[in-house]
Amino acid sequence: MSYHHGNLREALVEAAVELGRERGPDGIVIREVARRTGVSHNAAYRHFADRDELLHEVTQVGLDGLSAAMLARVKRVRVKDPVERARRRLREVGKAYVDYALAEPGLFAVAFSGPSFGDLTGPYQHLTDALDECLAVGYLPPAKREGAELTCWAGVHGFSMLHSTGPLRDVPRRQRDADLGRLLDRLDEALRA
């Protein structure tokens, strides 16, 4: 992609996102972003003080994509029973997390790289909302509510890492889906009243 006119900052972020998709966080280098955009690295530095600032932009793109995937899955749940609806929504949040990690391993790695990995309010809020709904309908007891985000997040994040870039990346999809189902069942059991 070469830059011709318009918003250079946006073009630089787009090039950085593509590098993130291809190579993960270590692949996002301002010189390469500038080269792909067709401008000098000095022109890129007029828009980003340093690599960390550019990396933060790509991180946010990754988290926004994850958030959108989670929200789309939650909105598809059409069950009338409030308890079952809450349980399924929580399950869909977990499935969306894993699906996104597997579909976008580079961007997913960028989204969770570094000490300041972006604004988690979207993805984290979807998890919090799903857990609060489980609490509101009486499925999740108040005593189990505190810290439930970390338990769920750690489970699906670990699963995602094992299957996207870790030792289980070559497990056939059918087996992976069955394993994810079992993980989500265990989380469901742990949260139940």
Side-chain angles (χ1 to χ4, degrees):
M1 150 175 68
S2 90
Y3 171 76
H4 294 291
H5 58 80
N7 189 339
L8 179 55
R9 182 180 176 87
E10 185 178 302
L12 292 166
V13 171
E14 286 177 21
V17 166
E18 286 309 309
L19 278 168
R21 277 193 171 106
E22 294 168 16
R23 304 178 187 172
D26 294 337
I28 300 172
V29 179
I30 288 186
R31 280 191 181 276
E32 179 60 15
V33 169
R35 187 191 70 71
R36 285 186 177 206
T37 310
V39 299
S40 72
H41 69 278
N42 287 334
Y45 277 111
R46 287 201 267 308
H47 294 276
F48 298 98
D50 56 24
R51 177 185 177 271
D52 288 343
E53 191 176 321
L54 179 59
L55 189 61
H56 181 78
E57 291 290 322
V58 180
T59 294
Q60 200 55 55
V61 169
L63 289 172
D64 289 348
L66 174 58
S67 180
M70 294 167 101
L71 188 57
R73 293 286 292 257
V74 167
K75 285 183 174 183
R76 289 196 316 234
V77 175
R78 300 272 192 246
V79 177
K80 291 194 189 266
D81 177 69
V83 172
E84 190 58 29
R85 183 176 54 243
R87 291 176 66 204
R88 287 200 190 169
R89 285 181 177 169
L90 179 59
R91 194 174 190 94
E92 291 305 313
V93 164
K95 285 181 180 179
Y97 191 97
V98 172
D99 287 349
Y100 186 82
L102 296 173
E104 292 281 7
L107 272 183
F108 184 79
V110 172
F112 293 98
S113 65
S116 169
F117 51 77
D119 178 9
L120 263 176
T121 56
Y124 193 78
Q125 190 61 53
H126 300 316
L127 174 57
T128 297
D129 291 347
L131 288 165
D132 286 346
E133 185 180 0
C134 287
L135 179 68
V137 299
Y139 185 75
L140 174 63
K144 290 185 177 183
R145 178 62 186 90
E146 186 177 345
E149 283 93 349
L150 184 58
T151 300
C152 294
W153 189 9
V156 294
H157 188 80
F159 187 93
S160 297
M161 297 306 293
L162 288 168
H163 286 273
S164 64
T165 57
L168 301 178
R169 66 183 163 272
D170 295 327
V171 169
R173 181 184 179 114
R174 174 179 257 162
Q175 179 63 46
R176 183 187 70 226
D177 290 348
D179 290 343
L180 177 58
R182 280 189 287 279
L183 171 67
L184 295 173
D185 289 345
R186 298 306 175 274
L187 289 171
D188 184 65
E189 290 166 11
L191 296 172
R192 184 179 313 158

